[in-house]
């Protein structure tokens, strides 16, 4: 018997099924959990006022994202190594996504071939690109994704310094990547961060280069500063994923809910705004859209579904958030995503 609401129930099931280190890898943030909690609270402190008696006119959750018509604005964020969580892996996620008329970003660190994931999804998916240390190596990965038929590239820029968060079990690896770029040996007194990792990190010049390589929509994931948002627009990119990586990189950032209005104002409609980090319900989705986002992404919640019940669990998570979004629209008298943008939030 399931006494809890679906998401906490799936989280509980996932925790019970996963080895402790894998559960920790999934749930952890860059500190002791405070960033994760504040990400979630950031959406929850915004409040909605019910608007009963409002007649809904052709109510729907449809939206247009570049050339794609989406049935709803709930997307799956890139999550690495999904075979850690269930044998179905990324393919299970992709199949569930298709069944629920959704869209997902396949991680650079996927544990199954991007070609196979897109094939099994039976729809073009988006591909999340991590910088591979230099342009030549990054281009190899990019070309592999483009050849698989992906329909957008999402360049994640907020995690240039990678710390190994987990020892991968035998048989699970980032199968789409070439061998990692060898790090130059450090001299005595050199910094591992400045003289090591950061020598391989991308810069704005690389974003400009990438823009020239990519003819499909290009989004930049992991920005929270309004000046960076303006720069993305100036470089001709098509979208931003406002995100603090689910709190997993820089500990102690503001919540995404806190910076979203500034980011929306900065781009002034010149590119799409997607948002993630801490979204846990259809009501959170509603609030993000009311604040000006064009779509939202979820990370951990769908992985709870994957770990607990495979592809079926992922499908249930998407469907539940969509149902909750529709219910929130009904209770607030909102018929469309365009109308949602007019809704005032309270604290
Ligand atoms: C991530 N995230 C992530 N982001 C990315 O761009 N590439 C990646 O490979 C990964 N991998 C990854 C693994 C795990 C286990 C987690 C939890 C997250 C970040 C992810 O795309 C997204 O930004 C956050 O998960 C959103 O926050 P919530 O919904 O998990 O709170």
């Amino acid at each position: 018997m399931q006494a809890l609401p679906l998401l906490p129930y799936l989280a509980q099931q996932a925790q019970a099924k996963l080895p402790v280190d894998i559960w920790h890898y999934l749930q952890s943030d860059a500190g002791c959990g405070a960033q994760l909690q504040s990400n979630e609270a950031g959406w929850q402190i915004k409040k909605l006022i019910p608007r009963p008696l409002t007649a809904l006119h052709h109510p729907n959750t449809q939206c247009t994202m570049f050339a794609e018509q989406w049935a709803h604005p709930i997307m799956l964020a890139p999550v690495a190594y999904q075979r850690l969580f269930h044998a179905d892996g990324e393919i299970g996620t992709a199949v569930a996504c298709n069944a629920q008329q959704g869209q997902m970003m396949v991680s650079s660190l996927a544990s199954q071939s991007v070609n196979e994931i897109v094939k099994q999804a039976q729809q073009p998916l988006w591909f999340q690109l991590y910088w591979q240390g230099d342009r030549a190596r990054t281009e190899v990965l990019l070309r592999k994704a483009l050849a698989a038929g992906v329909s957008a590239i999402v360049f994640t820029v907020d995690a240039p310094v990678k710390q190994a968060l987990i020892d991968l079990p035998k048989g699970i690896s980032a199968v789409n990547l070439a061998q990692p770029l060898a790090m130059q040996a450090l001299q005595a007194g050199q910094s591992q961060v400045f003289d090591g990792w950061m020598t391989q990190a991308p810069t704005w010049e690389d974003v400009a280069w990438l823009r020239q390589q990519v003819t499909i929509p290009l989004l930049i994931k992991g920005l929270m500063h309004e000046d960076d948002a303006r720069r993305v627009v100036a470089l001709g990119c098509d979208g931003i994923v406002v995100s603090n990586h689910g709190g997993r990189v820089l500990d102690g950032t503001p919540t995404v809910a806190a910076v979203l209005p500034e980011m929306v104002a900065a781009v002034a409609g010149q590119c799409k705004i997607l948002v993630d980090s801490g979204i846990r319900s259809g009501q959170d989705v509603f609030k993000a859209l009311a604040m000006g986002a064009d779509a939202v992404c979820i990370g951990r919640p769908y992985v709870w579904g994957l770990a607990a019940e495979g592809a079926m669990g992922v499908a249930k998570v998407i469907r539940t958030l969509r149902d909750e979004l529709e219910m929130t629209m009904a209770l607030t008298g909102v018929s469309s995503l365009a109308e949602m943008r007019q809704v005032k939030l309270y604290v």
Side-chain angles (χ1 to χ4, degrees):
M1 247 276 281
Q2 178 192 322
L4 287 168
L6 183 77
L7 257 59
Y9 170 76
L10 290 175
Q12 199 182 60
Q13 295 294 306
Q15 183 170 12
K17 285 191 173 178
L18 292 174
V20 172
D21 60 333
I22 296 178
W23 173 251
H24 182 255
Y25 166 66
L26 172 61
Q27 286 302 106
S28 60
D29 64 10
C32 298
Q35 184 71 59
L36 180 57
Q37 278 175 16
S38 82
N39 279 350
E40 295 172 0
W43 302 108
Q44 287 158 13
I45 56 173
K46 308 279 178 195
K47 304 293 176 196
L48 292 165
I49 287 188
R51 301 296 306 277
L53 304 176
T54 314
L56 300 180
H57 299 288
H58 307 295
N60 70 83
T61 57
Q62 288 161 14
C63 58
T64 304
M65 193 59 64
F66 311 116
E68 298 174 13
Q69 299 297 322
W70 291 4
H72 57 82
I74 303 158
M75 188 172 192
L76 304 184
V79 168
Y81 309 119
Q82 293 188 20
R83 283 182 56 239
L84 279 177
F85 309 110
H86 193 278
D88 289 354
E90 287 82 2
I91 291 176
T93 299
V95 168
C97 187
N98 178 292
Q100 289 299 329
Q101 302 168 281
Q103 183 53 289
M104 73 179 269
M105 302 174 186
V106 178
S107 168
S108 278
L109 302 177
S111 55
Q112 290 165 322
S113 124
V114 58
N115 199 36
E116 198 54 30
I117 300 167
V118 174
K119 206 163 104 192
Q120 299 290 336
Q122 299 185 4
Q123 73 179 64
L125 303 173
W126 292 14
F127 183 75
Q128 176 268 321
L129 183 70
Y130 269 136
W131 192 248
Q132 298 299 304
D134 63 28
R135 290 182 184 181
R137 296 168 60 88
T138 304
E139 194 175 348
V140 171
L141 179 59
L142 172 67
R143 299 277 157 229
K144 187 179 279 187
L146 293 173
V150 300
S151 57
I153 298 294
V154 182
F155 182 33
T156 299
V157 295
D158 60 359
V161 179
K162 302 253 178 45
Q163 291 145 333
L165 293 171
I166 189 169
D167 289 329
L168 292 172
K170 207 162 169 275
I172 297 183
S173 64
V175 297
N176 295 292
L177 303 188
Q179 285 301 309
L181 186 62
M183 193 71 70
Q184 274 198 344
L186 294 177
Q187 307 295 318
Q190 282 192 314
S191 150
Q192 181 166 29
V193 176
F194 298 147
D195 306 302
W197 289 110
M198 289 311 288
T199 60
Q200 296 187 357
T203 64
W204 283 107
E205 284 66 41
D206 297 311
V207 176
W209 166 82
L210 188 62
R211 176 66 286 187
Q212 289 170 354
Q213 311 306 312
V214 175
T215 52
I216 58 177
L218 173 64
L219 298 91
I220 310 298
K221 176 173 182 280
L223 299 178
M224 296 184 77
H225 196 292
E226 55 188 316
D227 291 347
D228 295 340
R230 288 192 198 94
R231 202 153 177 180
V232 164
V233 171
L235 287 171
C237 299
D238 303 284
I240 297 173
V241 186
V242 184
S243 166
N244 64 15
H245 213 107
R248 294 166 75 84
V249 185
L250 176 63
D251 194 24
T253 72
T255 68
V256 167
V259 300
L260 180 58
E262 288 163 18
M263 298 296 275
V264 169
V267 308
Q270 294 173 84
C271 75
K272 295 284 188 193
I273 294 270
L274 285 78
V275 67
D276 75 21
S277 300
I279 290 184
R280 298 291 177 265
S281 68
Q283 199 179 106
D284 294 345
V285 176
F286 184 107
K287 291 168 183 171
L289 269 68
M291 291 164 74
D294 295 292
V296 306
C297 313
I298 51 167
R300 294 177 185 86
Y302 81 84
V303 185
W304 299 334
L306 181 68
E309 300 182 9
M312 181 58 81
V314 178
K316 282 186 189 171
V317 170
I318 302 172
R319 186 65 242 185
T320 299
L321 262 62
R322 187 175 169 187
D323 287 346
E324 291 171 354
L325 173 64
E326 292 178 4
M327 183 58 81
T328 310
M329 291 170 71
L331 294 175
T332 54
V334 165
S335 297
S336 67
L337 269 49
E339 282 184 24
M340 219 174 280
R341 284 188 167 230
Q342 313 303 320
V343 171
K344 182 174 167 197
L345 299 179
Y346 295 78
V347 278

